[in-house]
Amino acid sequence: MTAEEFGLFGRETAFQVIADASTAGGQVVVSGEPGVGKSSLLRAAGQIAQRAGRRVLAITPTQFDQGLPFAGLADLLAQCPPGITDGLPAPQRRALAIALQLLEPDGRGMDPLAVPLAIRSLLTDLCEAGPITVILDDAQWLDLATAGGLAFALRRLAVGPERLSVLVGIRPEARRSDLVRTLPEPRRDVELAPLDESAITQLLHRNFGSAWTQAVSAAVARTSEGNPFLALMIAQAMQSDVSRWRWSAREGHDPVFPVPPSLTDVLGEKVSLLPAAAQEVLLLVSAAGRLSVGQLDKFVGADRVIAALEAAADTDVAKVGPEQRVAFTHPLLASAIYEAATSAERRRAHRLLADSLADPVERALHRARTTVMPDSEVAEEIERAADIAAGRGALQLAGELLESAARATPAAGAVADRFARWLRVVDTYTLAGDTEAALAALSELHPLATDPKARAEAIRRRIDLTRRMPGARSLAEQGLALAPPGTEVRIELITLLGALHRLEGNGPEALRLTQEAVADARGRHQDAALLRALYGRLTVERHWASGDAARTLAEIDDLVASTHDFPGAVLAWTRAFFASWNDPEAEAPVRLEIRSALEAGRYGDLTQLYIALILYLTRASRIPEAHAALDEADRVGAWSLSAFQEPLARALVAAYTGALDLARTVVEAAVEESRAIESTYWLSSFLAIRGFVETSAGEWQAALHALREVAAVFDRTHMVDLEQVLWPIDYADAALQVGALDEVERAVAFLRRQGASGRPEATVAADRCEALRRAATGDVDVALQSLQRIVALDGIESPFEATRSRLALGQVYRRAGHKRNSADTLTTASKEFTRLDFPRWAERAQLELARSGLHHSGTELTQNERRVAELVATGRSNQEVAAALFVSVKTVEAHLTRIYRKLSVRSRTELARRFANGTP
C-alpha cells in the first residue's frame, strides 16, 4: 500500500506510521492546521484497518457537538454490535442508559465513575472479541463528557497493544488535552506540514484532470501555502475557465485567483453561493451540532428543508447521512455557516432551538446563547438543566451550565443567591477535575463573599485546589479565623486543618484540632462531620500513639451502627486499614463491602476499600492474594480517585513479589510528588518502601540513604508508627551490613517505641535486631539464645517477619561455627520464603546457605528463577525476559547463572530441552 493509492500526496511517511498502527495496534496523534489533510489521512487509516479485519469505530465531531453531552459516545455505540451493553454490570448499564437519554434518572445518585467505567468495559469486551481501531477526528471538538470517559478508559485498558489502535486527529493548540496525554503506549506523534508544489500538483491532477499544468498548479500551491483543502477550493473556483489562469501563468506571474487566498475566506465564499433561505436552515444544523431531516421539518417546514438540502448538495456543502441526519461535507463548513451569520441571526437560531428541542439540557444550552441581559427565569431553567446533566454523569457540562445560570442571575437579586450559584459552579468543576475552570469560578465568587461565613466557604473551596500542604494549611487557618462558631464550614475547616497538620508531621496540633472537631460535630449532631472528625482523630492516635485509638474506633463503630445513612464500607475499610496482621475480623467485611459497592455502583468507595485490603494482606504476608487484589482493583477501576493510594499499593506488591525495578519506578515518582506537595507523611511512607526495596536487593547504601531520612522525620516529629510498617528492621539490617552499629541501636529504639504503643511484633523485631548487633560485636552466645527464643515464639510475628527471624538465626549459627544448624535453619527459611512468594528473600537465604558450606535443596528453583527459566526456554532473549517480568537485564543474567548451576545445564538449548522433557 502506498499513500498515493488513497489520494494522499507528499504524505508517505505519515501514511506509513498510521497504516502500521491501523493494522498492528498502537496510538497515533496526527496534528496540523485546518485543511492540512488530517481527515483524509484518518479516512485512509479506517479503510486499511477494515481491510485488515479490524472493527473500526470512528467519531467525527463538529465544533457544535461540544455542548451535547455524550454525543461522541452515542456515535461510538451506534457502531458497536447489537446487545454490546447487555453484559455490563447493572450500575454501569444503567449509567450508560441515563447518559444516552435512554432512561430517565430515578432520583438515585449516579457515581461519576459509572460511565467512564462502562466505556472501559465496552472497549475491553470489543478488544477481546477482536482487534479494534478507534478513530477520533477533530478531537478538539469532542464533547467533554465523552472525552473524559475515553481518557479514563484508555488510560486503564488492560489489553495487549496489538488489540487496540487509537488514531487521533487534532489541532496543534489542543495537543495537550487530557485525552491525548493519557493515550497508552506505544504512541507516535505525527505533525502534518504544508504540502510542497509537487504534491499539490499531483492532488490537482487527480481531482481535476490533466488540464492543470505544472506552472498553474505551482501557483495554486504558493497561493494556498501548501494547504490541500484550500488548494482544492481555489481550483474548484477556477475550474470553469482553466485556460484563463494558464495564460496568466505564462506571463511569468501568479494568476489573480477568483477567491481570497485564506481558508476562512474561501469557506465563506463557498457558503455565499447558497441561497439565503438555505443558509438559514443550515444555520440551525450548525448551531445545534446535529439535527435530522425530521427535526428540521418540524422547525421550519418540509418545503424549506427540501430546497435547502438541494442547494447544499449542489454546492457540496452538506448532505443527508445515516439516520437521516444532516451532515456537512467538511467539518469546517459547519463553522463557516455559523461565522457567516450575524449575531442577531445566530440568536434567532438558538431561540428557535431552545423553544423546539425535546431535551431540556440542549434547550438550556441554546437558551443561554439567546440571553443578552440577566433573567431570573432563564437562570432557573439553566440551573435545572445543569442538575439533569450532572445526573447523567456529564459533570463538566453541568459546570458550564451552572456558570451560565450564575451569569444570568440578575445583579439586583439577593447576593446570597448569586453566591450560592457560583459556589455550585466551583464545586461541580472541582468534582469534574477541571482545576483551571474551578479557579476561574472562584475569582467570580470572591467579590460576592460579603460576610465572614461566605468568605470562609470560598477559602474552603480554594484549599481543595491548592497543591502544596503549607499553602493549604495557611488558607485553612485564614478560613477558620473567619468561620462563625457552630457553622458546618467551621467544623470542616477544623477537621481539614487537623489532617493537614498530620500530613506535615505535626501530631500534637493535629490531635488537638481533631478533638475539637469531634466535640463541635457531636454538639451540633452533624453525623457526617462527626465521622470525618473521628477518622482524623483515629489516624493521629495511631501514628503518634497518643489518645485512645481503641475508644475512637468503638465510637466510629457505634456511629455507623446508629446512623442508617452511612454505608458499611466506612467501618469495613477503617478496620482493615488499621488492622494488625493477625486480625481475624479484618478481611471478610472489606471483601463484602467491595462486592456491595460494585453491585450498587458506589465506585467512589473502591479506592479506600482496596488499599485497606491490600495493606492488610501484605502485613499478613499473603502476597499472592495481595497481588490478586491489586489486579482486581485495576480491572474494576478502583484507583480513579486516587492520589497516593494507587502507587502505595503498586509499590508494596511489586516490592514484596521481587519486581524491584518496577517498585523503584513507582516509588521514585511518588517520592518526587510527595516532596513537591511537602507532605511529610507520604514522603516517609514511600521512603520506607524504598528502604525495603533496596534491602531486598542487597543495596545497603541506597537503603540507608532512604531510611536515614525516615529516621530523621521520626526524630523531628516524634511519630511512632507508620501504617504498621516495620521500617526500622530494614534500617537495622542495612546498617549492620555496612558496620554502622550505632545506627542499629537507633533503629532498635524506634522499634521499642512501636512496641510500647501496643505492637508486640515490633518488640520481637527489636529483640532480633539487638541480637544481630550483639553477634556483630562478638557476643554470639547471647545473640544465639535470644534468636532461638524468638524463633520458638508462635503467632506474634507475621509469617514473613518470623521467617526473617529464622534467617537471622541461621546467620548467627554460621558466625558461631555451627554449620549444620546454620544449613538446616537457612534451608527452612529459604523454603518458607519461597512458599510465601518472597523470591528475593529466598535467594538471600540461599546465598547465606552457600556461605555455610553446606547446600541443602541446591537444585530447587525459586519462583522467580522458575519464571525466568520458563521464558528463556521458550526462546526469549534476556531483554525480552526482563521486559516481561519488569526486572533489569542484570537481574535476569544473575538468575540464569543460578539456574544453570542448579539444573546442571550449560546453555539455553539444554535448558529448553529440560523443560520440553517436563523435567526442569
Side-chain angles (χ1 to χ4, degrees), residues 63 92 182 253 266 330 369 373 382 403 409 449 489 502 504 548 558 569 586 597 627 651 746 785 807:
Q63 179 180 357
Q92 294 179 26
T182 56
H253 56 79
V266 167
H330 194 283
R369 293 180 179 178
M373 295 291 291
I382 297 173
E403 187 169 347
T409 304
V489 67
R502 174 178 63 81
E504 287 188 283
D548 189 343
D558 291 343
H627 201 311
R746 189 181 182 196
Q785 291 175 9
L807 173 64

Side-chain angles (χ1 to χ4, degrees), residues 269-500:
E269 289 284 341
K270 191 173 183 67
V271 168
S272 70
L273 299 176
L274 289 166
Q279 291 186 45
E280 186 178 343
V281 172
L282 291 175
L283 175 60
L284 289 174
V285 180
S286 68
R290 52 185 63 206
L291 287 177
S292 67
V293 174
Q295 286 176 305
L296 283 172
D297 287 346
K298 292 178 183 178
F299 298 165
V300 299
D303 291 342
R304 288 184 64 191
V305 172
I306 291 172
L309 293 179
E310 286 177 347
D314 291 343
T315 55
D316 196 30
V317 169
K319 59 185 178 181
V320 178
E323 300 179 357
Q324 291 292 293
R325 185 181 295 170
V326 180
F328 290 96
T329 54
H330 194 283
L332 292 173
L333 288 167
S335 302
I337 289 282
Y338 195 80
E339 294 299 327
T342 66
S343 297
E345 289 169 337
R346 293 177 201 164
R347 281 197 298 275
R348 282 198 299 272
H350 286 298
R351 189 172 296 114
L352 176 58
L353 292 167
D355 293 337
S356 306
L357 288 169
D359 181 60
V361 174
E362 290 187 55
R363 286 203 307 269
L365 285 166
H366 293 292
R367 188 77 68 199
R369 293 180 179 178
T370 66
T371 305
V372 293
M373 295 291 291
D375 186 311
S376 59
E377 290 185 5
V378 170
E380 289 173 5
E381 178 187 356
I382 297 173
E383 187 171 32
R384 288 193 297 272
D387 292 336
I388 295 170
R392 292 173 180 170
L395 288 174
Q396 184 74 32
L397 176 60
E400 293 174 2
L401 286 167
L402 285 168
E403 187 169 347
S404 295
R407 295 188 187 283
T409 304
V415 172
D417 291 341
R418 296 169 62 207
F419 179 83
R421 279 196 171 128
W422 277 111
L423 203 63
R424 287 197 65 193
V425 174
V426 176
D427 288 345
T428 304
Y429 278 137
T430 300
L431 189 58
D434 191 339
T435 301
E436 186 176 340
L439 287 170
L442 263 177
S443 67
E444 300 283 351
L445 184 70
H446 282 299
L448 301 173
T450 56
D451 60 75
K453 180 177 178 295
R455 290 199 292 274
E457 292 275 14
I459 289 172
R460 170 68 187 85
R461 269 63 180 186
R462 183 68 179 82
I463 294 169
D464 289 338
L465 304 170
T466 301
R467 184 166 176 247
R468 293 177 58 253
M469 295 289 167
R473 174 173 45 77
S474 176
L475 285 169
E477 290 166 350
Q478 295 172 37
L480 191 57
L482 290 167
T487 56
E488 185 175 347
V489 67
R490 180 177 179 81
I491 299 173
E492 283 186 22
L493 286 166
I494 294 172
T495 304
L496 181 56
L497 186 56
L500 291 167

